[in-house]
Amino acid sequence: MVGGMATDPTAKPSGDSMRIAVLDDEAAMLAFVTQTLIEAGHYCYDFPNARTLISRLRQDTFDLVILDWNMPDKSGVEIIQWMRENMDKPVPSLLLTNRNSDEDIVAGLDAGADDYVIKPVQPSVLLARINAIHRRTGPREAIGANESYGPFTLHPARQMVSVDGENVTLTAKEFELAATLFRNMHRPLSRSYLLEIVWGRNPDLPTRTLDAHISRIRAKLGLRPERGFRLIPVYSYGYRLEALEAEDS
Amino acid sequence: MALSSRSPSPPARLYAEWLAVAIVATLLIFALVTGRLTERLDHIVYDNLLTASGRPPPDDILIVAIDNRSLQAIGRWPWPRAIHAQALDRLAEARPRAIGYDVLFVEPSADDDLLAAAVRRTPTYLPMVIDVPGTDGAPYDIALPAGPLKDAAAGIAQVNLHFEDDRVIRTAYLEEGGGGRSWLQLSALMAGLKPDGSAARARHGLWQARPVLIPYGGAAGHVSSISFVDLLAGRVPAEFIRDRHVLIGATADGMGDSYPTPTSGVTGQMAGVEIQAQLLDALLRGEAITPAPRAWTLWLALCALWTMLVGFLRLSPRANANLALILIVALPLFSFLLFRFGHVWLPPSAALIGLLFVYPLWGWRRLQAISSYMTGELRQLDAENDAFPRRHRVLSVREVTLQAGLLGQAIDRLRDLRRFLSDAIGRLPDALFVTGLDGRLALTNAEGRRLARRLGAPSEVGADLRILLDRFRASDGTGFSPFAADAPVRGGTETATEDGGSFDIRYVAQRDAANAQVGWIIRIVDVTALKQAERHREEALQLLSHDMRAPQSAILALLRGPETGVPKAMAARIEGLANRTLDLAEDFVQLARAEAKPMDREPLDMNDLTIDAADALWPVAKARSIRVAVEGTDDPHLVDGDRQLLTRAILNLISNAIKYSDPGMRIRCSVSEAEGLIRVAVADEGVGMDEDQLANLFARFRQGPREGVGLGLTFVRTVVARHGGTIDCTSAPGKGTTFTITLRKSDVDPYADE
């Protein structure tokens, strides 16, 4: 396979199509990811080593790079750092790796990766994560008066959430937290990010504040897999809200 | 070591002793002064003082001595009054200032008129006789100079002398009398003194008033004298007599008119006439000595005594010795100066004796009190237990050897302790530093000095330990020091040095026997090797995890990728095996981490953790049509623990339950709280275990082999044990199995955020 060769999206290309670069030294993995993306209608370019990817990044534009962490020449994390240092607008990145320890996840996200997915991965999960990155990094759509996520509808004006048409009353902070999580679906949000967005810069907050609020909105809204959503703690980092519909379909 | 609640101040007994000494000494002073017990001693002092001071012979007083030569020349005594008249005539020619004729002319004689005429030529004073007691019950009788002499004399005076207890003449009473009359001493009269009637006021008897001490200027012969016979013979030049006070009196040995005086010492006695001459000299010059009232003596003695007594309480023994010495010198000096320049005699003996008495008395009592205090303390110290066995026990009953024995024992124990301490600290394999509150180094050991040398910091006693502590940086990059004003009494942290070393620093407040903080004890352990091993282990684990996972992931990717060519059934089986290998690798790495990973404790709501675990397994459960229900109250149930480890432990229990459940079954997870304990129970409706299987499971749990129980349950056991909790299991065949984790409830208020 020639590095950087575009695979023609023969399947159904749509308006949501992205140009995606994939880096992996394992040919089977590279083929699996590429196939998954093409089937979903994206334009995909595969790179077996970091050197060729970097030289391509210097002269081409991508919507997303999917990076393996452990590479023989330059690790995925190092490529993220290279992009941050050498590009005006770094390409959004997703780390796809076998490294599954919490320390690695936190290190990867802290290095600037937009998301972190552990191998092996189900095609649906991979696509959901890619779409989530695209939604928040791609061209912004105007946020309507009410936002709907599955059975949940946010009513920002009334600071209220309705579930299947039934209204659930939240406190101001709870609504703010729920809205932040919904609007950043699939994105790992660090504790400090959530605290700053919802509470502002307040250093005297008890440490359990965030956990207690997460616990309450999960209970009040029923953010459980049965309803198609899962609130996942990212250890030593923060939380991520995940929609499971993609998997179901 | 047992702490003594006693203060280290001197025993109260010392004050009692002091009070007793003060009372006894004060009473002694009263007795000495009021009982005149020191009079003899004062006489000795006074006599020596008098002899030592001396005075030049008076040039305005002349004695005409009726001496042995005169008796030989004129004839035996008494002489006819014509002789006396002749002498007075001779004197009158030379015009002396006044004459005191210390010869009694009380019995009438034929020549009285002749003598009276001679007496009138010069102001001449004549003596009288006072007899005590008088005749017919009168207190006294007087005999004045006979007939015309009485009127011819310029004045009549008494010449009574006063003997002290030791038969020495020191004092003369200037005035004597009683019942409204009084007479001056001959010399007082000649010196021009007037009677002030103080003696006349006495109703009964003869009263002596106005005492003076005669300040003898020298021994007998001090006052210049001429022989009576020389005067008669005209052998004395008139200039020798002119304007002088002339005293005529007997000095001849046989006439009996001589007395011992303080200054007559070696030469024996002094004639009465010379005593009068010396007194006259003193009165004329205003140098007569007044004896101080008894009260003065008392005050002086008490002042000296109480100065000393206050000194005993306030000053050191050495300062007290100096004070005593100063007082013993100063008291006689004070007496002397008063005597010499103030013409007052204040006897110092009572004060001196008081001092000489109280000083050794206090020394004795003080020693006694301290000695018994020391014996008590040493006995108590001896009775206290410490790490060292007694070589011998002191059993002596004699005080001297007992104290020495106890002291010796105490010193031995101190030596043992010091040796023990220096050995223990010196050979300690870790660097140890003892500092004052300001960070000044008081003690360290070989390791401590080696560490300081390595980091280029001083380590000698008195050096500032903060220089060394500045070389260490905590994980967040800040410095570390217990010397801040608000530092807690104990603490510690892991730190790193610039040369890549890792050090564990612990410190604790150092306290004295009274429990007051006097410094810090700081221990620094080099954990570089340990840290490195930990890092290597973690790296190895990560590599292992990654390298084991990578091929499995690749296999799965291959199977899911394009153009596999593998039959679908085969692909499913390979996928299953790859997934199992992945799970095993994951379980293995997780267990390894659970056993060694430093715990990251925080207050956690077990409700949340259980939901997180159940949600994570939702796809697996759903795939097998098994429902996982989380039942709990809405209230938070907080424990202090590691979020990741505890979540995974519950996840493993649920995962285990799913494994043993059939499709359509339910798994109930419940969180409850009772008596400060929080329980998480995971119950399935699966096949269950009989008693043997259950006992077997727990036996294997206890023995801890990993195979048999499964890595998943071993992980649960490890995590629960590290959190100080317990795990239980109840099961019955066909009725399902329930695993229960019990953990201690957190002290954190779960509603603190509201």
Side-chain angles (χ1 to χ4, degrees), chain B residues 681-706:
Chain B
V682 177
D684 65 43
E685 299 167 341
V687 290
M689 292 178 275
D690 60 28
E691 277 182 34
D692 283 351
Q693 284 171 308
L694 199 60
N696 207 4
L697 174 77
F698 272 90
R700 279 178 305 190
F701 247 179
R702 272 193 295 276
Q703 289 157 11
R706 285 175 182 171

Side-chain angles (χ1 to χ4, degrees), chain A residues 26-33 35-36 39 68-70 97-104 118-123 191 199 206-216 218-219 223-236 239 244 247-248, chain B residues 538 542-543 545-547 549-558 560-563 575 579 582 586 589-590 593 597 600 602-605 607-609 611-612 614-619 622 627-628 630 634 636 638 643-644 647-648 748-750 752-754:
Chain A
E26 174 58 54
M29 189 55 70
L30 204 51
F32 162 70
V33 173
Q35 187 201 3
T36 306
E39 277 172 8
D68 189 11
W69 185 313
N70 288 57
T97 171
N98 274 305
R99 297 172 71 134
N100 65 342
S101 77
D102 300 321
E103 292 80 10
D104 286 337
I118 294 164
K119 293 177 190 172
V121 64
Q122 295 286 338
R191 284 176 166 272
W199 279 274
T207 50
R208 271 211 32 89
T209 304
L210 180 60
D211 293 336
H213 278 76
I214 290 279
S215 182
R216 260 179 261 143
R218 173 155 67 185
L223 281 172
R224 301 291 302 278
E226 290 88 341
R227 279 198 163 127
F229 287 89
R230 194 183 148 205
L231 243 174
I232 301 170
V234 183
Y235 297 117
S236 319
Y239 288 95
L244 301 177
E247 205 178 355
D248 288 343
Chain B
E538 188 58 32
Q542 234 168 56
L543 202 70
S545 153
H546 174 265
D547 290 2
R549 291 178 61 87
Q552 307 304 323
S553 299
I555 291 170
L556 290 172
L558 266 178
R560 289 165 193 168
E563 308 129 24
E575 200 175 316
N579 273 325
L582 275 175
E586 178 67 6
V589 171
Q590 287 292 347
R593 289 218 174 99
K597 178 191 144 176
D600 192 8
E602 56 180 317
L604 302 169
D605 184 354
N607 282 328
D608 289 342
L609 267 57
I611 291 172
D612 286 341
D615 286 2
L617 288 167
W618 186 77
K622 193 173 172 247
R627 233 186 102 219
V628 180
V630 179
D634 291 337
L638 296 192
R643 180 190 288 269
Q644 189 209 346
T647 309
R648 190 162 180 98
V748 174
D749 175 12
D753 65 303
E754 286 166 42

Side-chain angles (χ1 to χ4, degrees), chain A residues 16-37:
Chain A
D16 275 344
S17 291
M18 282 190 273
R19 281 187 101 218
I20 302 174
V22 183
L23 174 71
D24 206 310
D25 59 335
E26 174 58 54
M29 189 55 70
L30 204 51
F32 162 70
V33 173
T34 311
Q35 187 201 3
T36 306
L37 295 179

Side-chain angles (χ1 to χ4, degrees), chain A residues 75-171:
Chain A
S75 79
V77 173
E78 282 169 322
I79 289 170
I80 294 172
Q81 278 159 358
W82 179 88
M83 289 194 297
R84 288 163 81 92
E85 284 162 17
N86 295 285
M87 299 175 77
D88 291 338
K89 191 174 182 297
V91 183
S93 54
L94 184 147
L95 276 170
L96 180 63
T97 171
N98 274 305
R99 297 172 71 134
N100 65 342
S101 77
D102 300 321
E103 292 80 10
D104 286 337
I105 295 170
V106 173
L109 293 172
D110 283 346
D114 290 86
D115 207 346
Y116 192 107
V117 178
I118 294 164
K119 293 177 190 172
V121 64
Q122 295 286 338
S124 56
V125 172
L126 181 62
L127 290 173
R129 297 292 189 88
I130 287 172
N131 288 334
I133 295 175
H134 184 50
R135 260 203 309 282
R136 48 177 200 266
T137 58
R140 278 221 170 268
E141 298 160 26
I143 296 173
N146 296 335
E147 308 159 47
S148 282
Y149 305 89
F152 301 97
T153 306
L154 305 186
H155 305 280
R158 290 184 287 160
Q159 297 223 324
M160 203 185 66
V161 177
S162 58
V163 189
D164 289 329
E166 210 167 302
N167 289 342
V168 178
T169 312
L170 299 178
T171 68

Side-chain angles (χ1 to χ4, degrees), chain B residues 36-224:
Chain B
R36 300 169 60 177
L37 300 175
T38 58
E39 209 166 55
R40 289 292 176 97
L41 198 60
D42 284 327
H43 286 336
I44 295 172
V45 176
Y46 174 80
D47 293 352
N48 282 307
L49 213 56
L50 205 56
T51 313
S53 51
R55 230 166 352 120
D59 55 3
D60 57 348
I61 296 173
L62 182 70
I63 292 172
V64 177
I66 301 169
D67 51 5
N68 295 338
R69 241 178 77 222
S70 304
L71 288 181
Q72 280 166 12
I74 296 167
R76 61 184 286 267
W77 193 265
W79 295 331
R81 292 203 172 147
I83 301 287
H84 294 297
Q86 201 179 341
L88 281 173
D89 286 340
R90 285 271 184 216
L91 283 173
E93 284 163 20
R95 289 205 300 281
R97 181 169 293 178
I99 298 168
Y101 216 123
D102 189 14
V103 173
L104 291 171
F105 299 114
V106 291
E107 70 286 9
S109 147
D111 302 334
D112 281 351
D113 288 330
L114 188 67
L115 184 59
V119 164
R120 281 200 181 89
R121 291 186 68 181
T122 317
T124 303
Y125 301 92
L126 295 177
M128 59 184 282
V129 174
I130 303 176
D131 283 328
V132 182
T135 50
D136 301 332
Y140 60 91
D141 282 346
I142 57 167
L144 296 176
L149 291 177
K150 181 176 63 188
D151 302 319
I156 309 295
Q158 43 96 0
V159 288
N160 289 346
L161 292 174
H162 181 80
F163 293 97
E164 306 280 347
D165 295 344
D166 54 356
R167 313 293 304 161
V168 173
I169 307 280
R170 291 188 188 83
T171 313
Y173 291 91
L174 295 184
E175 197 169 338
E176 210 165 288
R181 296 176 301 173
S182 68
W183 298 273
L184 286 174
Q185 188 71 242
L186 176 60
S187 42
L189 200 58
M190 287 180 77
L193 269 61
K194 299 279 176 273
D196 62 3
S198 51
R201 277 196 291 273
R203 294 267 173 83
H204 308 289
L206 188 69
W207 194 257
Q208 298 171 315
R210 299 168 75 183
V212 293
L213 291 159
I214 306 163
Y216 295 100
H222 179 67
V223 182
S224 52

